[in-house]
Amino acid sequence: MLAAVAGLGFAAVNLPGFARFRFALGRPAETQRRLLRAYLERNRETAFGREHGFARLRSYEDFAAAVPPRSYDELEPW
């Protein structure tokens, strides 16, 4: 019971964040696309972003083609 009350207290204190979270839950694909666009925009002027053309990427498919999976050792220089 205490955990439930504490959870409600957090939701009440963080109402705007909680509302965004609840909204995103109902639209996972849209939310993921929006987050990817935000990450690409925020990082397009980094060395990694310039090297991989973040400014021209418009979709997950673009991102997957431009940024292949790599090991930690391959990413370490960035």
Side-chain angles (χ1 to χ4, degrees):
M1 176 70 175
L2 185 57
V5 171
L8 290 175
F10 172 78
V13 170
N14 190 26
L15 194 55
F18 184 71
R20 284 191 307 272
F21 173 73
R22 293 288 299 175
F23 182 81
L25 283 177
R27 296 155 185 82
E30 174 188 331
T31 299
Q32 291 295 308
R33 282 191 297 272
R34 186 173 36 80
L35 286 171
L36 177 60
R37 283 192 305 269
Y39 293 147
L40 293 172
E41 175 68 26
R42 189 176 318 136
N43 292 287
R44 72 180 185 183
E45 295 302 323
T46 65
F48 191 87
R50 286 190 305 271
E51 176 84 15
H52 294 86
F54 281 12
R56 65 175 164 67
L57 304 181
R58 298 291 177 249
S59 67
Y60 169 76
E61 292 75 19
D62 293 344
F63 176 79
V67 185
R70 298 184 183 151
S71 70
Y72 175 82
D73 291 333
E74 292 170 309
L75 289 172
E76 192 273 330
W78 296 106

